[in-house]
Amino acid sequence: MMESGVPVCHTCGEHVGLNVNGEPFVACHECNFPICKSCFEYDLKEGRKACLRCGSPYDENLLDDVEKATGDQSTMAAHLSKSQDVGIHARHISSVSTLDSEMAEDNGNPIWKNRVESWKEKKNKKKKPATTKVEREAEIPPEQQMEDKPAPDASQPLSTIIPIPKSRLAPYRTVIIMRLIILGLFFHYRVTNPVDSAFGLWLTSVICEIWFAFSWVLDQFPKWYPVNRETYIDRLSARYEREGEPDELAAVDFFVSTVDPLKEPPLITANTVLSILALDYPVDKVSCYISDDGAAMLTFESLVETADFARKWVPFCKKFSIEPRAPEFYFSQKIDYLKDKVQPSFVKERRAMKRDYEEYKIRINALVAKAQKTPDEGWTMQDGTSWPGNNPRDHPGMIQVFLGYSGARDIEGNELPRLVYVSREKRPGYQHHKKAGAENALVRVSAVLTNAPFILNLDCDHYVNNSKAVREAMCFLMDPQVGRDVCYVQFPQRFDGIDRSDRYANRNTVFFDVNMKGLDGIQGPVYVGTGCVFNRQALYGYGPPSMPSFPKSSSSSCSCCCPGKKEPKDPSELYRDAKREELDAAIFNLREIDNYDEYERSMLISQTSFEKTFGLSSVFIESTLMENGGVAESANPSTLIKEAIHVISCGYEEKTAWGKEIGWIYGSVTEDILTGFKMHCRGWRSIYCMPLRPAFKGSAPINLSDRLHQVLRWALGSVEIFLSRHCPLWYGFGGGRLKWLQRLAYINTIVYPFTSLPLIAYCSLPAICLLTGKFIIPTLSNLASVLFLGLFLSIIVTAVLELRWSGVSIEDLWRNEQFWVIGGVSAHLFAVFQGFLKMLAGIDTNFTVTAKAADDADFGELYIVKWTTLLIPPTTLLIVNMVGVVAGFSDALNKGYEAWGPLFGKVFFSFWVILHLYPFLKGLMGRQNRTPTIVVLWSVLLASVFSLVWVRINPFVSTADSTTVSQSCISIDC
């Protein structure tokens, strides 16, 4: 403690200095606790006027002298002094030695008590945000800035909002309001003019129409504020990649998840991995984690081959700036690959690389062929030991680092991004939560090994199509003005291999180019499961920095670890703040304690029971405190893998907040919607990024049955959310942070499957009307005709104006409308019943799919017909409506000229149904008109039974009519 007779500061380790009398500076005359002037002044600024060791108040004369000396400083000097104090001494302000703390334990540990008290005083102050490059430049005196001034555009915004022109948006909004008014008048007419001769049909139609109007409101009004965005990656480089200085771009951890390599081909997953490793981004800032939830040795071996091929592929991509950087899709492009290429060696090296890739494909195909039949004794690794994942439901956790900072380099000797294989532990009796559980395991593993501040997750079949995609996202996340409150940046999904007509609306163009743009103008797009860059802090359950943290009650044992907020001014604010506590249950914000040393931090963490939220891993908990990412300096590299294995154990999440409040949220097969919804409820906003070159591309099921099963899974997830505590109809109102238009959008995502019930009833009405001779609308008056005409015109004009500002084609809109009906009367209907059976009765119903082979080369899968129960309802509707049209024309021919007028409305209604189901009919017939016999049998049977029962019951005919019919048909035995 003594050097040259001058004590050393117990806080910062520097000499305490001398007072005006030339004697060593002493702050406390009771215990002579050594503390330097700088640390003493900092304590005073923080409001601490008592000794850290003994708790005695400081001498008032000394306090006056320090305050007077501080007051004489100029404003600029005070600012620089404060910056210096914060930069140098704040890191050590609580460095109370372990020895002294242990010695003081017998006396109630006064040092620790004072430290906790001082921390409680700090909790009402927001943590100073991490100093960005721009802020540091602002602190430098103007003279120094003149010497080293950045490029002119480095200080400009990294992105900008491009609003939709008023000339396009104003008419659009006007027509929406007019349509709403017309709808009100239309329903007034419909309700006040019942059809007595077919009251049941009329009542059914009115109920259906009211539901359709409600669904339209939920879908339409979240598109009220559509916006476009533009990014400037050149400004990003000018700001964070200055020549001659280390780049300051943020690190990114990539997550790629796969389960069954026989259903998700290893070659597709490998292409996704290769496109990530070849990104146009600093290699030391990229880490790729592969989650193998099936523990397949095939996946592991294919990654070994992929890591070896990446040593050749990555330098080739960066040398010639090729796009895309997934070799399968690059070499299959039907374009002039010599365009914009000027290097003489390009053709030769491309030819050699293509040969290397084909040899690589052969090796992968050989691994796949070998994996088709599992040996009786299980798989064996090259060293002769048994593969740990031979039982995919009962195996230990596995982690293997293939590439990285100390791993293999490319063929030119350059460093490669880190590639990590992860297979979490699986044991019987544990709930593993499928994809959401796998993603949460990757969150913890990556936090232990690399801890990048941002996370980008991709499905295994979605490769990076734009090598600058991460830079596009960083233009939002690293912008000090924009990125503070952004929880994630969502990219649209684009697909390869879809037929040109997009028969089953696989591209989802209307959703990605219309709905998501509308949400971007409110609180941001919903999370769609892939192609999304997350702020890691948002995944940990924290709220955005610009919003007050959720307060904890004073009686809570953990109240010391939550930053405070100003005293509420009225009872309504008190009630609202109390409700906010429910949203952030068990989320403890420890951002304020990163100034403490390791010993104090561990004590505070244990006292706050932080492990109840994040689990029993001190290394992981410490990583959550590092807002800017990076592995803690105190971490021992030799133990990191062991710790990473620990955090993916199957029992790690038990009795924690994982899946409830932090990470990917459990409780639905569509965990993506639920995860984004929780973030928006905490006050975060998301951003929609649509670069000119699509950031990511994937594959989509293009045949009818697979497409319906995909839609079934999405709809089932929505029903599960509807029946859970996270339902947007009632969840998150207490916080007041979810905007009401955003809530409407989330309500729409969970109630749309229920539209199947009125939709299938409404599509049955035309056939019923044609078979019975009744109609759901009475004879129209002039006013009613105007209302109907106005309603149809408003629907058409709304669609046209929407196409005008969004740029979507009319063909895409029509395909979307068609598949809305096809999916509504099939997949959505089954999802509703399956969801209720699963959530209320615990019965999990699975719909099996059996494929038939197809011989077609181009888009052959499009013409594959697979038997599934989902095909029966729409097929039945088609047959019934066709039979109804034939019956209607036959009846009109028998009755004469006067029957043709009423027939027109009924036939138009029926053709509306048939036109919407036409893509389904084409898919059902296939290219060679092949239809599964069982589909025809079931559909004809149901249609026949329905028709016979209808004739026997005849419910929509009045009593007098039924008596007349029975007398005239007395000789017919029905």
Side-chain angles (χ1 to χ4, degrees), residues 117-359:
E117 289 298 324
S118 66
W119 185 86
K120 285 182 179 179
E121 294 174 6
K122 284 179 60 181
K123 72 175 184 173
N124 292 322
K125 301 180 180 181
K126 288 186 177 180
K127 178 186 173 185
K128 179 181 178 181
T131 306
T132 63
K133 188 169 184 177
V134 176
E135 291 169 345
R136 289 198 302 271
E137 290 173 355
E139 295 174 359
I140 300 174
E143 295 80 9
Q144 296 183 22
Q145 290 191 25
M146 291 297 292
E147 296 176 4
D148 189 15
K149 190 174 182 179
D153 61 349
S155 59
Q156 295 181 9
L158 302 180
S159 65
T160 185
I161 296 177
I162 303 177
I164 306 296
K166 291 185 178 180
S167 60
R168 297 184 179 183
L169 207 54
Y172 176 66
R173 292 172 175 172
T174 303
V175 171
I176 291 174
I177 298 300
M178 290 177 60
R179 182 173 172 181
L180 201 60
I181 296 172
I182 294 173
L183 269 176
L185 298 174
F186 170 78
F187 284 123
H188 178 268
Y189 168 79
R190 293 284 280 132
V191 171
T192 56
N193 291 272
V195 182
D196 296 329
S197 59
F199 186 81
L201 292 176
W202 168 82
L203 182 61
T204 302
S205 66
V206 170
I207 293 174
C208 294
E209 289 162 1
I210 291 174
W211 179 265
F212 295 151
F214 171 69
S215 299
W216 171 76
V217 170
L218 292 180
D219 179 71
Q220 186 66 67
F221 280 91
K223 296 182 283 191
W224 192 261
Y225 299 104
V227 296
N228 292 314
R229 294 182 185 270
E230 187 175 15
T231 56
Y232 307 102
I233 57 177
D234 54 338
R235 297 178 185 175
L236 180 77
S237 298
R239 182 177 298 185
Y240 295 106
E241 293 182 295
R242 298 177 63 181
E243 186 176 355
E245 297 181 9
D247 68 81
E248 297 181 349
L249 290 174
V252 182
D253 288 338
F254 284 77
F255 293 173
V256 179
S257 56
T258 183
V259 180
D260 187 353
L262 298 181
K263 294 182 179 178
E264 299 166 334
L267 191 62
I268 298 299
T269 304
N271 271 270
T272 299
V273 172
L274 290 169
S275 68
I276 293 172
L277 298 179
L279 275 172
D280 181 11
Y281 207 71
V283 293
D284 60 322
K285 302 297 179 69
V286 175
S287 300
C288 181
Y289 293 83
I290 311 299
S291 170
D292 178 18
D293 225 27
M297 187 172 173
L298 173 58
T299 302
F300 181 85
E301 290 182 329
S302 65
L303 276 184
V304 174
E305 294 288 347
T306 303
D308 184 60
F309 178 71
R311 298 177 61 245
K312 302 176 183 178
W313 175 251
V314 172
F316 171 75
C317 292
K318 294 187 176 182
K319 180 178 180 180
F320 298 108
S321 302
I322 67 168
E323 296 284 0
R325 300 190 177 181
E328 181 69 22
F329 302 95
Y330 170 69
F331 290 121
S332 62
Q333 290 182 115
K334 297 179 180 179
I335 61 172
D336 180 14
Y337 64 83
L338 297 178
K339 185 178 181 181
D340 300 328
K341 297 295 184 290
V342 295
Q343 298 95 326
S345 62
F346 173 67
V347 174
K348 181 179 178 180
E349 293 191 35
R350 184 184 186 276
R351 189 180 299 116
M353 182 55 61
K354 187 174 183 180
R355 183 177 61 253
D356 290 339
Y357 177 64
E358 290 172 350
E359 293 173 355

Side-chain angles (χ1 to χ4, degrees), residues 7 55 141 153 155 164 201 220 233 335 339 348 481 487 499-500 537 564 592 616 662 686 688 782 814 821 916 940:
D153 61 349
S155 59
I164 306 296
L201 292 176
Q220 186 66 67
I233 57 177
I335 61 172
K339 185 178 181 181
K348 181 179 178 180
Q481 279 70 40
C487 55
D499 58 301
R500 287 180 293 275
Q537 292 294 312
E592 294 294 333
L616 297 171
I662 61 177
S686 54
Y688 197 47
N782 292 335
W814 174 236
V821 176
H916 278 78
V940 172

Side-chain angles (χ1 to χ4, degrees), residues 72 215 349 424 818:
D72 293 339
S215 299
E349 293 191 35
R424 58 182 174 144
Q818 286 180 311

Side-chain angles (χ1 to χ4, degrees), residues 418-714:
R418 178 174 292 189
L419 177 62
V420 184
Y421 170 87
V422 179
S423 182
R424 58 182 174 144
E425 182 185 20
K426 294 281 187 73
R427 300 298 180 192
Y430 288 91
Q431 178 61 262
H432 300 292
H433 303 289
K434 299 181 179 179
K435 180 183 176 181
E439 296 287 352
N440 284 338
L442 290 184
V443 171
R444 297 191 294 271
V445 169
S446 63
V448 171
L449 297 181
T450 51
N451 196 33
F454 302 111
I455 293 171
L456 195 158
N457 84 294
L458 289 173
D459 288 343
C460 64
D461 60 344
H462 277 68
Y463 65 91
V464 181
N465 183 65
N466 183 347
S467 62
K468 299 184 184 296
V470 176
R471 294 178 180 269
E472 298 275 355
M474 291 301 115
C475 286
F476 301 108
L477 294 169
M478 295 190 69
D479 192 322
Q481 279 70 40
V482 178
R484 286 173 55 82
D485 294 340
V486 175
C487 55
Y488 60 81
V489 175
Q490 178 66 62
F491 291 89
Q493 292 185 21
R494 304 300 187 206
F495 302 98
D496 287 320
I498 296 177
D499 58 301
R500 287 180 293 275
S501 63
D502 193 15
R503 181 187 293 178
Y504 307 123
N506 280 283
R507 293 191 177 94
N508 285 324
T509 307
V510 173
F511 173 75
F512 286 113
D513 290 11
V514 180
N515 295 68
M516 296 285 266
K517 282 185 179 179
L519 290 176
D520 198 20
I522 307 171
Q523 202 171 342
V526 298
Y527 168 44
V528 297
T530 184
C532 186
V533 187
F534 283 97
N535 182 336
R536 188 182 283 268
Q537 292 294 312
L539 283 172
Y540 289 157
Y542 296 122
S546 64
M547 289 212 174
S549 301
F550 295 116
K552 306 295 288 184
S553 60
S554 59
S555 61
S556 172
S557 63
C558 304
S559 61
C560 65
C561 60
C562 291
K565 69 185 289 293
K566 294 182 179 180
E567 190 71 16
K569 297 181 180 180
D570 55 62
S572 64
E573 291 189 18
L574 283 170
Y575 175 78
R576 184 169 63 251
D577 293 340
K579 286 294 183 181
R580 285 176 179 172
E581 184 176 351
E582 300 176 5
L583 294 176
D584 262 6
I587 300 300
F588 305 119
N589 191 340
L590 290 188
R591 294 173 179 172
E592 294 294 333
I593 71 165
D594 61 351
N595 289 334
Y596 293 86
D597 62 20
E598 184 177 357
Y599 173 73
E600 291 177 328
R601 185 178 300 157
S602 63
M603 289 186 66
L604 190 54
I605 288 174
S606 63
Q607 289 192 15
T608 58
S609 300
F610 201 71
E611 61 273 5
K612 291 183 179 180
T613 300
F614 289 112
L616 297 171
S617 172
S618 59
V619 176
F620 173 73
I621 291 175
E622 186 173 6
S623 73
T624 65
L625 308 176
M626 306 173 70
E627 293 184 17
N628 296 323
V631 180
E633 296 179 0
S634 59
N636 186 354
S638 62
T639 62
L640 286 183
I641 293 294
K642 182 179 179 181
E643 191 69 23
I645 291 290
H646 169 60
V647 298
I648 60 172
S649 58
C650 55
Y652 183 85
E653 293 184 355
E654 287 193 341
K655 297 181 181 179
T656 68
W658 285 101
K660 303 181 185 70
E661 298 295 333
I662 61 177
W664 270 257
I665 307 301
Y666 305 149
S668 170
V669 295
T670 53
E671 71 287 330
D672 45 6
I673 296 293
L674 207 50
T675 302
F677 174 62
K678 292 278 285 187
M679 292 181 182
H680 284 136
C681 284
R682 294 189 182 102
W684 293 95
R685 70 152 294 124
S686 54
I687 282 180
Y688 197 47
C689 182
M690 296 181 65
L692 293 178
R693 180 180 179 85
F696 310 100
K697 280 191 175 183
S699 58
I702 64 173
N703 76 76
L704 178 61
S705 301
D706 288 347
R707 172 68 166 141
L708 288 178
H709 275 267
Q710 182 189 55
V711 174
L712 170 64
R713 189 180 70 84
W714 295 343

